[in-house]
Amino acid sequence: MILKRRAELEVMAEAAVINREALEAVEAAIDVGVTTAELNDVAERAIVARGGRPAFKGYNGFPATLCTSVNEAVVHGFPSSRPLEAGDLLSIDIGTFYRGFAADMARTYAIGEVSDEARRLIDATERSLQAGIDAMRAGNRLGDVSAAIQAVVEAAGFWVVREFVGHGIGRAFHEAPNVPNFGRAGTGPVLRPGLVLAIEPMVTVNQTTVDVLDDGWTAVSADGSLAAHVEHTVAITDEGPWVLTAPGSSRANVRATSTTKTAITADGRLDPAGR
Ligand code: MF3
Ligand code: CO
């Protein structure tokens, strides 16, 4: 596991702000009748305008800036020319590289009026993410995070997807460790300050497996269950979890509150003049 120093966390926080602002631009464009391909263009323009680079595009051949996963699609759906319809459940996953560091975030949106069950699914998935974040304290174990997520999902009567997991994140989009959304408290590696994790519960209404479509990417629930997916990039610090992708921060704010000399060069190397 790679631990980041403070100056590196601050660059990751800037990457996360760019990523979140791009997702907010997408949110403003979400509507019945809009296509996910149009949302993808909004995201790409917003990331590039802020000096970032879309992290997913070209990653292992993924063709787009966003993953857009509708209804029974769990993750990794392709943006398409299908207009969104009232009642759809849309999961959007977005990733950005900035100065050599990655940020990763996802949310699930109700399009127009959705079923009660769909609303409860989104709510439980968001609460499970928060429970996982709350367990990200130095000295806790990774299994504490996994178990916290699983407990919230199962208390709501829903199912944790097993086939995909969260992950460490930093200079590489996927770093050790894997972060399952199920597991036993008190097990696994001890969490230390400087570890950054992408926590991303994927939840289906019913107990089901997940299939990948012939496009090689789109992961769908095998039984057609509705699915939700939410994600934050979170650093463990001595002061508790730092949700880098949370709303309410800005790049100016990250810089203004910095306690380090800027020690990362524009191309992402550690500046020997910094610390
Ligand atoms: N958040 C997803 C993940 O961590 C997004 C990856 S999509 C890919 O795997 F295209 F980059 F693979
Ligand atoms: Co991720």
Side-chain angles (χ1 to χ4, degrees):
M1 293 191 288
I2 300 170
L3 303 181
K4 284 82 180 171
R5 64 185 83 192
R6 190 75 193 182
E8 293 173 304
L9 294 184
E10 288 170 359
V11 176
M12 291 194 74
E14 288 196 66
V17 169
I18 294 170
N19 201 48
R20 182 177 49 70
E21 288 179 350
L23 184 55
E24 287 170 0
V26 170
E27 284 173 12
I30 290 177
D31 206 352
V32 172
V34 171
T35 71
T36 49
E38 289 165 342
L39 298 178
N40 186 74
D41 290 342
V42 170
E44 186 160 329
R45 280 198 300 270
I47 291 172
V48 171
R50 288 164 176 76
R53 177 169 70 77
F56 299 169
K57 206 173 171 182
Y59 183 94
N60 288 338
F62 192 80
T65 290
L66 295 181
C67 300
T68 56
S69 306
V70 179
N71 295 331
E72 75 283 1
V74 182
V75 287
H76 300 167
F78 292 171
S80 83
S81 57
R82 171 190 175 282
L84 292 168
E85 295 168 15
D88 280 343
L89 210 56
L90 169 65
S91 298
I92 295 186
D93 195 341
I94 183 167
T96 292
F97 271 104
Y98 174 73
R99 289 199 169 197
F101 287 90
D104 193 4
M105 176 174 193
R107 286 193 68 185
T108 297
Y109 304 92
I111 308 301
E113 278 292 298
V114 300
S115 67
D116 245 34
E117 190 170 63
R119 252 197 308 275
R120 285 191 297 107
L121 179 68
I122 294 175
D123 176 67
T125 308
E126 289 180 344
R127 285 188 291 106
S128 77
L129 172 58
Q130 189 56 52
I133 291 168
D134 291 342
M136 282 185 64
R137 305 209 160 259
N140 277 5
R141 287 175 181 271
L142 190 61
D144 298 331
V145 176
S146 302
I149 294 168
Q150 181 177 15
V152 170
V153 171
E154 293 182 353
F158 297 126
W159 177 252
V160 170
V161 168
R162 276 27 178 201
E163 288 87 345
F164 295 91
V165 297
H167 50 95
I169 181 168
R171 290 184 182 276
F173 200 80
H174 294 114
E175 294 182 351
N178 281 339
V179 184
N181 297 302
F182 58 98
R184 294 214 339 263
T187 66
V190 174
L191 304 177
R192 302 198 186 286
L195 181 65
V196 186
L197 301 176
I199 308 289
E200 49 180 320
M202 288 149 271
V203 179
T204 53
V205 167
N206 296 313
Q207 175 172 348
T208 180
T209 54
V210 168
D211 295 331
V212 176
L213 298 184
D214 287 340
D215 64 19
W217 281 98
T218 310
V220 299
S221 62
D223 72 346
S225 284
L226 280 182
H229 173 217
V230 295
E231 176 173 26
H232 274 307
T233 298
V234 187
I236 293 169
T237 77
D238 286 319
E239 294 83 46
W242 180 9
V243 183
L244 301 179
T245 43
S249 183
S250 68
R251 286 162 80 186
N253 180 264
V254 170
R255 288 181 177 169
T257 58
S258 171
T259 54
T260 64
K261 296 204 180 76
T262 296
I264 310 291
T265 63
D267 58 350
R269 287 172 302 113
L270 276 176
D271 184 344
R275 66 176 168 92

